[in-house]
Structure formats: structure tokens, C-alpha cells
Amino acid sequence: MGMNYLHRVLCRSALWERTSAKKIVPWALAGLDLGDSALEIGPGYGANVRALRDRAATLTGVEIDPELAAGLRVKHDGRLRVVEGDGAAMPLADNEFSSVVCFTMLHHVPSPSRQDELFAEALRVLRPGGVFAGSDGLDQLPFRLIHVGDTCVPVPPETIADRLTRVGFTDIEVDKRLSSFRFRARRPGS
Ligand SMILES: C[S@@+](CC[C@H](N)C(=O)[O-])C[C@H]1O[C@@H](n2cnc3c(N)ncnc32)[C@H](O)[C@@H]1O
């Protein structure tokens, strides 16, 4: 879950914020309605906060790194509610959110079984009918190089539909492009 120095500098940069907010978020969320209450797992330095606030009236972020959580509270005061915690064991009530999203963070969750626990937690905190969506990098050389010395457990996109189905999601869609994939799924019920 740690990030090496280069990775921290990259994640904090204006270039990353632009790339994520203008290229990753719009692609990952195209055509989706986040409803009134969105949760972002792993907001980091907050690159996606403004883009998400354009799409949802209220935003909560669950961030595992205490320093990043504290930084978000200062930098994005009033834009999101920050909860320090692990996306795979969230200190949040059941059925709270109309949507749960995550971007470029699943590979920081240190094992496939922990990633599956995060998927199960996303389902639990969603209202019935709520949407879970996100994006991450494909397992390619540049992605691996950025993560030398870091946790890096890329999610093979071919495995996601089965893994999300197993924890209870339906209506799963997964797409790939050059260096990333996106997924979306729905909690059954209405
Ligand atoms: C590469 S950064 C991406 C940050 C942001 N999503 C973005 O797109 O710029 C990954 C973030 O996920 C956080 N993270 C890693 N594992 C987590 C977990 N289990 N629960 C919550 N956040 C986590 C890290 O601390 C870091 O802030």
C-alpha cells in the first residue's frame, strides 16, 4: 500500500490531476449516474475530487494513509468528508451510498483476496441499485517501473467479472484501452 518517492511526486503533480480528472474519470464514469451520495476509495492527494463533485452532490473519501487523509481535510475542506480507513474494512454503515468509485488504487491493495474484500465492502456500503465503478492500470512494463519498491498487485481485467459476481454484484461491464481498464457493476435491488 506504500508509494515510493517517484510515485508520490507523480501522484501529487498537476499533470496527474489533469490526466486523472480529464481522461480517467470521464472514461470510467461515462454514461453513469453517481446519484446524490458518492464514496471514493483511496482518493490519495485528491486528484479526482473536483471531477467527482461535478457528478455527485456529496462526496466521502476513505483513505488508508493517515498523512494523505489529513492533507485531504486541509486541501479539500468542504468538498468531501474524509474518513481514514481501509477500503477492505470500512468504518462506514451499510447501505449508505448511491455510488462507490475508485481510480488507480486497486493495485495498491496487497493481495487478490484483500481486493475481493474491498469489492465486498463496496457492495455492503452501497444502497440496493447503487453503482460501483472505477479504473486501474493494466499490468505493463511502465506501470511496473513506476512501482518499483511499492505494493503493486494489478487486477487482471479478465478476472473482475467473476470476482464481482462472487461478492454479489450484477450488471458487470469491463472494458480495456491502451494501458488501463474500467469496470462498472450494480448492487442488486432497487
Ligand atoms: C496511486 S494512489 C491514487 C490516488 C487517487 N485515486 C488518484 O487517482 O489520484 C492510490 C491511493 O490509494 C490509497 N489506498 C491504498 N490502499 C487502500 C485501501 N486499502 N483503502 C483505502 N485507500 C487505499 C493509497 O494510500 C493512495 O492514496
Side-chain angles (χ1 to χ4, degrees):
M1 146 241 317
M3 288 194 274
N4 68 29
Y5 178 72
L6 167 67
H7 195 188
R8 280 186 183 271
V9 169
L10 182 70
C11 283
R12 211 171 29 216
S13 67
L15 175 65
W16 174 251
E17 178 157 341
R18 238 182 0 258
T19 303
S20 194
K22 297 236 176 330
K23 298 219 161 76
I24 296 178
V25 172
W27 183 61
L29 303 184
L32 283 181
D33 182 354
L34 296 189
D36 59 337
S37 172
L39 169 70
E40 182 182 16
I41 303 178
Y45 293 97
N48 309 314
V49 167
R50 288 189 178 82
L52 292 173
R53 280 303 307 274
D54 288 345
R55 292 169 166 83
T58 66
L59 179 63
T60 301
V62 171
E63 173 53 57
I64 200 167
D65 182 314
E67 273 177 43
L68 293 178
L72 284 166
R73 287 197 183 99
V74 175
K75 184 173 172 203
H76 290 287
D77 183 34
R79 287 197 197 95
L80 86 162
R81 167 168 68 119
V82 180
V83 175
E84 189 187 316
D86 183 349
M90 292 194 271
L92 293 169
D94 296 354
N95 307 326
E96 192 178 335
F97 298 98
S98 52
S99 53
V100 175
V101 296
C102 63
F103 307 94
T104 321
M105 69 74 61
L106 290 171
H107 63 280
H108 283 283
V109 179
S111 68
S113 61
R114 202 69 185 153
Q115 292 166 350
D116 290 346
E117 284 165 15
L118 184 147
F119 297 155
E121 279 289 89
L123 183 94
R124 180 183 68 76
V125 302
L126 274 174
R127 298 175 198 152
V131 66
F132 177 39
S135 166
D136 203 355
L138 296 174
D139 189 3
Q140 295 169 343
L141 188 60
F143 191 67
R144 287 281 180 177
L145 288 176
I146 292 171
H147 292 89
V148 168
D150 268 4
T151 304
C152 186
V153 183
V155 173
E158 344 25 273
T159 66
I160 294 193
D162 277 355
R163 294 166 68 182
L164 291 175
T165 303
R166 235 177 287 138
V167 303
F169 281 104
T170 56
D171 299 333
I172 298 156
E173 290 175 42
V174 184
D175 297 294
K176 282 198 281 186
R177 59 181 181 181
L178 229 48
S179 59
S180 59
F181 69 88
R182 68 177 176 186
F183 67 91
R184 50 190 59 182
R186 203 169 51 79
R187 178 172 176 174
S190 54

